[in-house]
Amino acid sequence: MSRPDDFQNLVHAAHRELQADPGRRRFFMSALATGAAVAAPAWAQAPAAAAAAAAAGGRLTIGDAGRGPSRFTPNFVKDVGLLTDLNRTNQGGAWWNFDTYITPVSQFYIRNAFPTPRPELDKRVDPRYWRLKIHGDGVQREMTITYDDLLKMPSRSIVSVMQCTGNGRSLFWEQEGFLDEPRRVVGNGWGLGGVGQAEWQYVPMSHILDLVGLKPNAKAVLFWSGVDGKAPNTESDTGRPMSIQDVLERPDDIGLAFKMNGEPLPPDHGAPVRALVPGWCGGASTKWLTEIKISSHDFWVRLNTYDHTMMGPDYPPPKPAPNDEFRFVKPEQLLGIPVTWQEGRSTLALPLVLDRQPDMPANYPLARGERPVLRAGAQVLRGYAWAPNAGVRSVDVRINGRAWQAARIIDPQINRYTWVRFEFPFAPAQGDYVIETRTTDRNGNAQPTNVPFNKGGYNFFAIPKFMVRVV
Ligand SMILES: Nc1nc2c(c(=O)[nH]1)N[C@H]1C(S)=C(S)[C@@H](COP(=O)(O)O)O[C@H]1N2
Ligand SMILES: [Mo]
């Protein structure tokens, strides 16, 4: 889509100003909304609500936040204007604006440890030079494959949720009060925007394992990037192992993804090739993949020791064996139980009241402590539910602690890894309401009312409480 230069200049100028003075962000939103109404083409026009909000003093409303103006940063390749800014390397989805079954790339959260590697600065992620080394004492034939080799291999497509295990962390603060030592949760304040659903095209591990020939002693598989670091062409400590049993349980579902929603994998999401481990925390789906090591021993790396592990009194860490392989971590850093499968969860397409969390995301549609506002009268509320281990059986909602009522699920569960959308009628009078949503999976596990403390605030799969004000 071509953009008129003057509009883009306006965006860039405003963006530079914003970076110089983040306090001007709100003003910028208003200025842009007003400017856009005058001259910009339809795609660039903020919805009428945005103009109204701008006139009323600048705050974004539920409907227009997340449909904000373009925002470019050197740390990402895509325009992150539709995402909320958590910090330098993390961008959350605007879940209150989600309405599609497949999340478009422009609305898909980015969770990076470091800035996105760019092919123009780092050959290792340029498809012309990209190499994947597959080796280790658990394979019969080591190989190195190119991007063209990969494209010639048989591939499959799967629709699957990708979720950061830290999604929902805000609710550990807001609902469970884990703000102070000894039970203090730390990490990105995702709200509920650390999740999206895409169609992934991938070469299944079943094919890769046939090529290299698995030895009977194979114990673990390490998916390793090693690419994304503090600066281009440095080595990073990012990768994630899984046991060979975990792969052999579903070798056609786990694989090497090279397309997202029908297009070549975008740089911010791991181009040219990432691991895809549907149903597990997103941290297992290593982006910018360059190495697979299959060994007769276990691997310990950042993402299965002191990061992305359940740490706390309820989670005793595993004990390493003498011949295990350690990359960038020491045995004394095995602090918790690595996060794997994601439990059943649900969300409404409404922003959360964020009152207590340490850092408010920039361009969140609500100020600290503010409730979203709905109009009185009959309406339909909608949301998303997922339970990637078993699939979603049902979704219930309740208002102000009254009886649970079944919501209507509107999408088929085409495989266990997909989310489904649900809706239910809501006809409130003026006042304050708490709306709760609860997924029950096909094994009969329902979302609990709370989740015990863990230091990193992972796996918040308790029932979320959405507070609204009806006027
Ligand atoms: N190389 C690399 N792979 C990575 C990460 C990373 O920082 N570097 N982040 C992981 C985490 S924690 C998550 S949740 C997912 C996020 O994928 P997305 O940014 O495509 O949404 O990528 C995973 N793969
Ligand atoms: Mo993550």
Side-chain angles (χ1 to χ4, degrees):
M1 200 174 303
S2 76
R3 302 173 174 191
D5 282 340
D6 52 355
F7 183 70
Q8 236 187 355
N9 289 340
L10 173 62
V11 169
H12 283 132
H15 184 66
R16 276 194 301 277
E17 241 177 74
L18 256 185
Q19 290 196 313
D21 177 9
R24 287 181 58 83
R25 188 180 295 272
R26 290 244 155 87
F27 169 72
F28 162 55
M29 297 286 191
S30 342
L32 193 67
T34 315
V38 180
W43 68 266
Q45 276 185 29
R59 184 128 63 240
L60 295 164
T61 67
I62 305 168
D64 60 74
R67 299 196 205 283
S70 297
R71 183 156 51 85
F72 296 94
T73 125
N75 290 335
F76 310 111
V77 173
K78 74 180 181 185
D79 177 346
V80 291
L82 301 187
L83 302 171
T84 60
D85 208 355
L86 300 188
N87 52 41
R88 229 169 51 85
T89 57
N90 295 294
Q91 298 282 317
W95 71 92
W96 53 93
N97 276 331
F98 286 179
D99 48 14
T100 55
Y101 179 63
I102 299 286
T103 312
V105 168
S106 60
Q107 288 180 261
F108 212 99
Y109 80 97
I110 305 173
R111 200 280 178 246
N112 278 1
F114 303 102
T116 293
R118 294 167 183 261
E120 62 273 27
L121 299 178
D122 193 330
K123 277 182 161 185
R124 296 172 297 174
V125 294
D126 181 328
R128 291 172 299 174
Y129 304 104
W130 177 82
R131 296 289 182 274
L132 176 65
K133 182 177 177 191
I134 309 170
H135 68 124
D137 69 356
V139 302
Q140 273 151 11
R141 294 171 291 278
E142 301 200 343
M143 5 190 351
T144 297
I145 62 176
T146 67
Y147 188 64
D148 285 342
D149 293 336
L150 190 82
L151 295 191
K152 288 186 191 122
M153 293 179 188
S155 67
R156 292 176 163 238
S157 113
I158 195 170
V159 176
S160 166
V161 157
M162 174 79 63
Q163 174 172 245
C164 185
T165 177
N167 189 34
R169 182 180 290 114
S170 297
L171 295 174
F172 276 119
W173 294 309
E174 305 297 337
Q175 294 185 192
E176 304 204 18
F178 294 148
L179 287 150
D180 303 303
E181 298 296 353
R183 297 197 303 169
R184 187 167 93 106
V185 158
V186 290
N188 293 325
W190 287 111
L192 293 168
V195 63
Q197 171 155 283
E199 185 211 2
W200 309 94
Q201 190 77 24
Y202 64 101
V203 173
M205 279 306 284
S206 53
H207 181 74
I208 300 292
L209 294 179
D210 281 351
L211 287 178
V212 294
L214 210 53
K215 284 193 193 161
N217 67 352
K219 189 176 183 196
V221 179
L222 174 65
F223 293 106
W224 189 253
S225 169
V227 170
D228 51 327
K230 289 195 173 70
N233 290 301
T234 55
E235 191 183 16
S236 90
D237 62 351
T238 309
R240 167 74 202 241
M242 57 196 303
S243 77
I244 196 74
Q245 292 100 295
D246 283 331
V247 177
L248 294 181
E249 232 166 59
R250 47 190 185 120
D252 290 336
D253 297 354
I254 296 169
L256 313 180
F258 57 95
K259 280 186 179 177
M260 182 177 181
N261 298 346
E263 302 288 342
L265 197 64
D268 297 307
H269 298 286
V273 180
R274 79 183 298 172
L276 178 70
V277 184
W280 278 29
C281 61
S285 292
T286 303
K287 302 194 276 191
W288 313 295
L289 188 70
T290 62
E291 179 189 353
I292 299 177
K293 187 166 180 184
I294 303 181
S295 291
S296 58
H297 55 251
D298 281 325
F299 298 94
W300 302 101
V301 302
R302 177 169 54 85
L303 290 181
N304 69 341
T305 57
Y306 63 92
D307 216 349
H308 285 60
T309 59
M310 303 296 273
M311 286 174 283
D314 300 316
Y315 308 102
K319 298 234 181 316
N323 66 335
D324 283 355
E325 182 171 339
F326 290 80
R327 285 198 183 183
F328 295 97
V329 293
K330 300 192 186 79
E332 56 272 24
Q333 288 175 302
L334 265 72
L335 297 181
I337 299 178
V339 176
T340 57
W341 285 101
Q342 297 293 282
E343 309 269 355
R345 300 202 197 190
S346 52
T347 182
L348 282 181
L350 282 177
L352 291 164
V353 175
L354 299 182
D355 199 5
R356 313 169 86 178
Q357 75 175 46
D359 297 307
M360 288 293 288
N363 69 8
Y364 195 65
L366 306 172
R368 185 177 285 281
E370 184 184 358
R371 286 177 175 238
V373 172
L374 300 178
R375 296 250 160 237
Q379 53 202 291
V380 173
L381 296 187
R382 54 193 180 76
Y384 291 75
W386 58 102
N389 195 357
V392 174
R393 176 191 286 169
S394 56
V395 181
D396 299 294
V397 297
R398 73 171 172 185
I399 314 287
N400 288 349
R402 293 196 292 264
W404 288 100
Q405 298 199 305
R408 193 166 81 88
I409 292 176
I410 62 170
D411 295 309
Q413 181 88 56
I414 58 174
N415 67 54
R416 59 178 165 153
Y417 310 119
T418 65
W419 66 18
V420 292
R421 287 170 295 182
F422 65 87
E423 56 183 40
F424 60 96
F426 184 50
Q430 286 179 1
D432 285 350
Y433 293 82
V434 179
I435 310 170
E436 295 168 274
T437 61
R438 185 183 68 186
T439 292
T440 302
D441 74 15
R442 290 183 174 181
N443 292 332
N445 300 309
Q447 287 185 258
T449 37
N450 48 52
V451 170
F453 171 79
N454 74 88
K455 180 121 196 71
Y458 300 123
N459 286 357
F460 183 90
F461 63 99
I463 294 166
K465 290 180 167 52
F466 294 88
M467 293 184 271
V468 298
R469 173 152 301 153
V470 176
V471 298

